[in-house]
């Protein structure tokens, strides 16, 4: 049951630096752990996170097995236009989680 | 629902028979030549003015994580609980919302669990009550203990009591359970031969390895524990501690664990519910 929480301002002034924080529900199974039987638990992590704004990719992160479960990624951008911010997480199973928030930019 | 008036802290009197057992235990320690020297004298129960949540002992970063509902990972479980609240899992098509209404109506409920289950005449914890609702009233299968769905539902119900004072169940059966829990709390167990009280009453605020020992108040359960990388129940925490002192942990749902929960709620009476809390 995938879900995400986005901490982003609803409005910002044009040119203002805004902080975006994206929290997603994911087990981030490292691939290094074993079951009691000795069988390796296959790796299942989010390997790519992107954020698009106003038609452009403004942030991208490659994630690795050392990341904790339910990763929280925080970054900044400059508010330019009233456009949606689209956050996307892609995992090893090919599952994509997408979350969109609307940003209103005032002059 | 109606929420009963807050207990005055002055009503929660320390047990009058405390000092004699304390002396007795101190003598026992002297005879036993306890291997840990700083524990040689049994300290008193924590004075009300000094009670504090484990929140106070956390780093600023972890505190900030709990304060902001958009960075507290436990809120992911709460969101799942919100979906489950409206679901109809059983053959009779009953959802939680059909009986209880909007979940905000559960305010104050979690603050007074465990409580007396009148049907069985025994104390029941919140998890047990959720399971009872699922099997008896929704005609659905019980969720496994510590399953994501069960923790999600418990987190959602717990959140509704956030900011309210803990109100231990006042009925005599729950009080008797709390008394048994108190005895367990003070009983030395395991290969390390330690009681809960020896850490959480006598040595809170000091270090156990790199970790600061908290007072052990159940203010924030279910909690998101960074070490677990997930949400867990108070019973999981209690079983953790039992394993830590090399004792055989009581199974989930055991009467002894519910008695301990009852005592911990009594011990934390009047403290503020923080559910869902973040802990290191």
């Amino acid at each position: 049951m995938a879900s995400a929480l986005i901490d982003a301002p609803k409005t910002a002034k044009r040119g203002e630096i805004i902080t975006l924080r994206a929290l997603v529900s994911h087990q981030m199974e490292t691939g290094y752990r074993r079951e009691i039987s000795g069988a390796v638990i296959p790796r299942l992590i989010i390997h790519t996170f992107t954020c698009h704004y106003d038609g452009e990719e403004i942030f991208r992160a490659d994630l690795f097995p050392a990341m904790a479960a339910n990763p929280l990624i925080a970054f900044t951008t400059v508010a330019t236009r009233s456009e949606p911010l689209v956050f996307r997480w892609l995992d090893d199973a090919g599952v994509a989680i997408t979350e969109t928030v609307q940003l209103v930019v005032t002059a | 629902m109606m929420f009963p008036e807050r207990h005055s802290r002055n009503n929660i009197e320390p047990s009058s028979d405390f000092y004699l057992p304390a002396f007795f235990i101190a003598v026992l320690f002297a005879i036993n030549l306890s291997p840990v020297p700083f524990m040689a004298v049994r300290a008193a129960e924590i004075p009300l003015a000094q009670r504090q949540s484990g929140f106070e002992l956390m780093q600023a970063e972890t505190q900030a994580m709990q304060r902001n509902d958009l960075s507290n990972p436990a809120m992911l479980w709460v969101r799942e609980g919100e979906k489950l609240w409206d679901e109809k899992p059983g053959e009779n098509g009953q959802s939680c919302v059909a009986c209880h209404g909007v979940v905000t109506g559960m305010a104050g409920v979690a603050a007074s669990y465990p409580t007396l289950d009148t049907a069985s005449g025994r104390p029941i914890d919140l998890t047990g009550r959720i399971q009872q609702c699922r099997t008896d009233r929704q005609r659905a299968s019980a969720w496994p203990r510590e399953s994501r769905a069960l923790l999600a539902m418990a987190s959602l119900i717990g959140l509704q009591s956030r900011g309210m004072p803990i109100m231990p169940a006042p009925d005599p059966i729950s009080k008797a359970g709390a008394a048994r829990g108190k005895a367990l709390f003070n009983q030395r167990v395991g290969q390390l031969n330690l009681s809960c009280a020896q850490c959480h009453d006598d040595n809170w605020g000091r270090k156990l390895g790199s970790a600061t020992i908290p007072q052990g108040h159940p203010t924030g359960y279910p909690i998101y524990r960074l070490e677990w990388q997930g949400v867990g129940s108070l019973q999981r925490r209690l079983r953790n501690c039992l394993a830590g002192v090399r004792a055989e942990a009581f199974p989930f749902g055991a009467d002894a664990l519910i008695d301990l929960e009852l005592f911990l709620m009594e011990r934390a009476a009047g403290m503020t519910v923080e559910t869902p809390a973040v802990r290191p």
Side-chain angles (χ1 to χ4, degrees), chain B residues 197-246:
Chain B
Q198 284 177 296
C199 277
H200 299 289
D201 275 352
D202 299 358
N203 287 293
W204 62 269
R206 303 173 84 153
K207 294 284 184 184
L208 186 64
S210 63
T212 308
I213 302 171
Q215 292 181 352
H217 295 298
T219 50
Y221 287 88
I223 56 168
Y224 187 92
R225 192 159 179 233
L226 301 181
E227 186 186 312
W228 293 338
Q229 300 198 23
V231 167
S233 68
L234 176 55
Q235 292 203 2
R236 178 172 177 189
R237 178 63 264 186
L238 293 173
R239 283 167 47 84
N240 242 212
C241 264
L242 285 164
V245 297
R246 313 283 183 269

Side-chain angles (χ1 to χ4, degrees), chain A residues 85-104:
Chain A
L85 290 150
V86 183
F87 301 84
R88 193 161 183 270
W89 297 261
L90 192 60
D91 80 3
D92 288 333
V95 175
I97 304 158
T98 308
E99 193 75 28
T100 305
V101 295
Q102 185 64 43
L103 177 69
V104 176

Side-chain angles (χ1 to χ4, degrees), chain B residues 99-138:
Chain B
C99 279
H100 296 283
V102 288
V103 71
T104 48
M106 304 300 275
V109 171
S112 54
Y113 267 83
T115 189
L116 175 66
D117 175 35
T118 40
S120 67
R122 291 146 64 98
I124 190 170
D125 63 349
L126 184 60
T127 301
R129 181 72 84 195
I130 293 168
Q131 300 288 44
Q132 197 181 60
C133 258
R134 270 186 74 81
T135 54
D136 297 359
R137 289 181 266 289
Q138 296 185 316

Side-chain angles (χ1 to χ4, degrees), chain A residues 12-102:
Chain A
K13 287 202 172 80
R14 193 182 311 278
E16 187 184 336
I17 296 170
I18 55 170
T19 302
L20 307 169
R21 296 152 64 86
L23 175 68
V24 71
S25 174
H26 201 281
Q27 71 267 49
M28 299 293 280
E29 185 59 58
T30 62
Y32 296 123
R33 299 197 308 156
R34 285 170 188 274
E35 291 170 9
I36 286 172
S37 66
V40 172
I41 306 171
R43 190 184 109 155
L44 180 53
I45 65 165
I46 290 168
H47 54 73
T48 308
F49 168 76
T50 58
C51 179
H52 284 78
Y53 174 50
D54 194 13
E56 264 187 85
E57 183 179 288
I58 57 160
F59 187 86
R60 167 178 286 264
D62 292 333
L63 279 66
F64 296 91
M67 290 289 289
N70 312 309
L72 171 70
I73 298 173
F75 55 97
T76 58
T77 191
V78 177
T80 52
R81 291 161 56 114
S82 294
E83 289 285 335
L85 290 150
V86 183
F87 301 84
R88 193 161 183 270
W89 297 261
L90 192 60
D91 80 3
D92 288 333
V95 175
I97 304 158
T98 308
E99 193 75 28
T100 305
V101 295
Q102 185 64 43

